[in-house]
Amino acid sequence: MVQLTRIYTRGGDRGETSLGDGSRRPKDDLRVASYGTVDEANGVIGLVRLHLETGSDEDRMLARIQNDLFDLGADLACPAGDDPAREAKALRILPAQVDRLETEIDAMNAGLQPLKSFILPGGTPASAHLHLARTVVRRAERDLVELMRVEPVNEAALRYLNRLSDHLFVLARHLNDKGTRDVLWVPGANR
């Protein structure tokens, strides 16, 4: 368990931060950027939850996702190493977390009409914020792909982000009165 007794440490005052393994990296390092963008997505999901009934199915789903995103941040903050004992203790995203997202996507999508157009962010406040969260998750995914080109990363982390953006899209439609309040793109409408 984490115990924070001091919020500021001054350790980052020179543009570096500590990773979960104790190593130091510049704050603009790809790994730090990756988990920073995951943290940003988590913040936007917190905004979504302000527009939901506390304890609703959707709120509980997003609460689990927020916790998963902290797990993902911990995963990314601790580079894979050669020490099997240390690696066994590292918190990593698991395939079961990806599977849960897929199950929830399928359940929500079953109640939606098939898409006949792309959807513009909007509709209900929760849905609009979910579309913002989805775009931040897509950026986190791009950051992670860039990191994976230079360092080993847990592949389930990438699958989780890919599935999460789909989940947030389907949840946005679900919260737009099962898609009836979706704002549809009309190609060339303003020419």
Side-chain angles (χ1 to χ4, degrees):
M1 199 64 184
V2 176
Q3 181 176 347
L4 300 174
T5 55
R6 288 183 47 197
I7 300 304
Y8 63 91
T9 64
R10 296 185 178 104
D13 290 353
R14 294 196 176 149
E16 289 188 342
T17 191
S18 293
L19 297 182
D21 65 357
S23 64
R24 303 279 296 166
R25 297 275 182 103
K27 289 190 176 192
D28 63 351
D29 182 83
L30 288 174
R31 184 169 292 278
V32 177
S34 290
Y35 66 73
T37 308
V38 167
D39 191 36
E40 185 181 345
N42 205 340
V44 178
I45 290 171
L47 291 174
V48 173
R49 292 184 66 202
L50 294 175
H51 299 283
L52 299 177
E53 181 182 330
T54 303
S56 67
D57 289 343
E58 296 83 2
D59 181 58
R60 287 195 314 272
M61 271 193 278
L62 291 176
R64 284 191 305 269
I65 287 167
Q66 284 191 293
N67 199 78
D68 284 352
L69 289 174
F70 258 78
D71 289 354
L72 178 55
D75 185 331
L76 296 175
C78 192
D82 296 334
D83 180 0
R86 190 188 69 139
E87 191 59 31
K89 292 179 187 177
L91 182 58
R92 301 287 183 218
I93 290 292
L94 300 174
Q97 290 167 289
V98 178
D99 293 343
R100 190 196 74 241
L101 289 175
E102 290 178 356
T103 299
E104 291 174 356
I105 291 167
D106 292 343
M108 289 184 293
N109 203 45
L112 301 175
Q113 293 294 318
L115 285 173
K116 296 181 179 161
S117 176
F118 287 106
I119 295 177
L120 303 176
T124 65
S127 294
H129 281 93
L130 280 165
H131 283 293
L132 176 59
R134 175 186 57 76
T135 64
V136 174
V137 168
R138 285 290 190 206
R139 181 161 32 92
E141 185 179 12
R142 292 189 303 272
D143 290 347
L144 188 55
V145 167
E146 188 175 0
L147 174 63
M148 292 174 87
R149 287 192 185 116
V150 295
E151 291 186 45
V153 175
N154 173 11
E155 291 181 13
L158 182 61
R159 287 193 303 273
Y160 186 88
L161 286 174
N162 188 286
R163 219 62 83 244
L164 178 57
S165 62
D166 296 334
H167 187 288
L168 298 174
F169 176 78
V170 172
L171 181 56
R173 293 197 68 216
H174 173 77
L175 291 175
N176 265 344
D177 294 330
K178 298 195 187 293
T180 61
R181 293 181 64 183
D182 284 340
V183 180
L184 301 180
W185 173 48
V186 180
N190 300 310
R191 289 183 170 186

